[in-house]
């Protein structure tokens, strides 16, 4: 890792935090991922070798503590230094949603990453009852996903969990990403025929209240060319 050759605290922090993928690894850790495979699901385009390297670097820098778990596998826990970096990472999310939005490109769309982020973005306080949500994404591989949603938590399943499906949703990957980041509200996607939903009326009618959206979705994008008033 190259340094800036400066005593400046901003430079010293940047030496640790701005290496490629590092902020995304920290984000996953701070959002609760503790195992290597969980981190891989949150950052699926990062190779296992590079993830191992970044975890080692963060451990050496004092931001990650590696511990042996109950099943004998390593667990990765954020330290106080990492916890204190969360406001920086969170602020970058709001800034990015406001100032760094651009036309989505195919290489930015990844079903696994989207589903993993959706898993922790259900508005559980508005979930009317326990249910199983089935999502089919025709242009993704894999294309079938299940969420077992309860008022306490939502679990993502890569394989059929064997429970009765209560609500089915069919859409393209682009449409689901646009809904998640609030580029296209769910009702608008339905009006345009870009999404098909099948399920009991009380679940379908309440979807706008509980369907997963990015925590940054309410941050309005900045107008092009906007500058501060002098």
């Amino acid at each position: 890792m190259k340094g800036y050759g400066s005593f400046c605290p901003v430079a010293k922090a940047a030496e640790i935090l701005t290496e490629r993928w590092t902020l995304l690894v920290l984000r996953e850790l701070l959002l609760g991922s503790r195992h290597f495979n969980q981190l891989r699901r949150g950052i699926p385009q990062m190779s296992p070798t590079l993830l191992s390297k970044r975890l080692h670097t963060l451990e050496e820098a004092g931001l990650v503590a590696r511990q042996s778990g109950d099943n004998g596998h390593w667990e990765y826990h954020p330290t106080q230094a990492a916890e204190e970096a969360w406001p920086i990472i969170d602020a970058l999310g709001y800034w990015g949603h406001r100032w760094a939005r651009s036309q989505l490109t195919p290489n930015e769309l990844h079903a696994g990453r989207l589903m993993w982020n959706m898993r922790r973005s259900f508005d559980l306080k508005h979930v009317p009852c326990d249910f199983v949500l089935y999502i089919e994404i025709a242009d993704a591989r894999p294309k079938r996903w299940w969420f077992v949603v309860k008022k306490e938590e939502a679990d993502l399943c890569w394989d059929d969990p064997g429970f009765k499906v209560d609500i089915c949703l069919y859409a393209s990957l682009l449409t689901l990403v646009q809904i998640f980041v609030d580029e296209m509200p769910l009702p608008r996607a339905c009006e345009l025929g870009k999404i098909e939903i099948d399920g009991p009326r009380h679940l379908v009618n309440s979807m706008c209240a509980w369907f997963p959206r990015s925590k940054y979705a309410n941050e309005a994008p900045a107008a092009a060319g906007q500058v501060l008033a002098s």
Side-chain angles (χ1 to χ4, degrees):
M1 180 172 59
K2 293 183 178 180
Y4 289 96
S6 173
F7 62 84
C8 171
V10 175
K12 301 299 287 183
E15 288 175 2
I16 299 171
L17 297 178
T18 61
E19 194 168 17
R20 192 171 186 231
W21 299 107
T22 294
L23 284 172
L24 300 185
V25 174
L26 280 174
R27 178 200 63 188
E28 288 302 313
L29 288 166
L30 291 165
L31 289 174
S33 294
R34 293 290 175 266
H35 300 100
F36 193 86
N37 285 340
Q38 291 177 333
L39 292 166
R40 286 274 294 134
R41 287 169 181 166
I43 323 171
Q45 290 153 308
M46 187 179 189
S47 73
T49 300
L50 186 54
L51 175 56
S52 294
K53 183 178 179 181
R54 289 293 181 272
L55 286 169
H56 179 70
T57 299
L58 288 169
E59 189 176 3
E60 286 190 329
L63 277 78
V64 170
R66 187 174 61 158
Q67 302 173 8
S68 179
D70 294 336
N71 57 5
H73 295 154
W74 289 114
E75 293 183 354
Y76 300 90
H77 294 262
T79 64
Q80 181 179 346
E83 294 283 356
E84 290 185 12
W86 172 249
I88 301 169
I89 297 169
D90 200 33
L92 278 173
Y94 284 106
W95 185 92
H97 195 80
R98 181 163 169 75
W99 292 101
R101 296 176 71 169
S102 60
Q103 190 74 25
L104 292 169
T105 59
N107 68 314
E108 295 175 326
L109 306 179
H110 192 286
R113 176 185 291 175
L114 174 63
M115 295 296 112
W116 190 250
N117 279 286
M118 287 176 63
R119 173 190 64 91
R120 55 191 174 212
S121 301
F122 282 85
D123 194 339
L124 297 176
K125 66 179 179 293
H126 289 120
V127 167
C129 60
D130 296 351
F131 61 89
V132 174
L133 168 64
Y134 169 73
I135 296 180
E136 185 168 313
I137 311 171
D139 58 340
R141 293 293 181 273
K143 68 177 184 178
R144 297 181 177 89
W145 306 83
W146 292 261
F147 288 97
V148 179
V149 183
K150 301 180 180 180
K151 293 196 174 184
E152 302 81 22
E153 62 179 353
D155 286 330
L156 171 63
C157 301
W158 277 258
D159 299 306
D160 188 343
F163 303 125
K164 174 182 173 292
V165 171
D166 299 289
I167 186 166
C168 299
L169 185 154
Y170 306 89
S172 70
L173 180 55
L174 175 60
T175 295
L176 286 174
V177 171
Q178 288 175 324
I179 293 170
F180 185 72
V181 301
D182 206 36
E183 285 190 4
M184 182 187 299
L186 181 60
R188 181 60 176 161
C190 293
E191 289 174 10
L192 295 174
K194 291 183 174 292
I195 191 168
E196 180 182 341
I197 303 169
D198 183 25
R201 185 181 298 273
H202 73 285
L203 279 177
V204 174
N205 289 346
S206 65
M207 280 188 72
C208 287
W210 55 258
F211 194 73
R213 293 168 68 242
S214 166
K215 68 171 293 187
Y216 308 114
N218 290 328
E219 187 71 16
Q226 182 176 336
V227 296
L228 290 174
S230 57

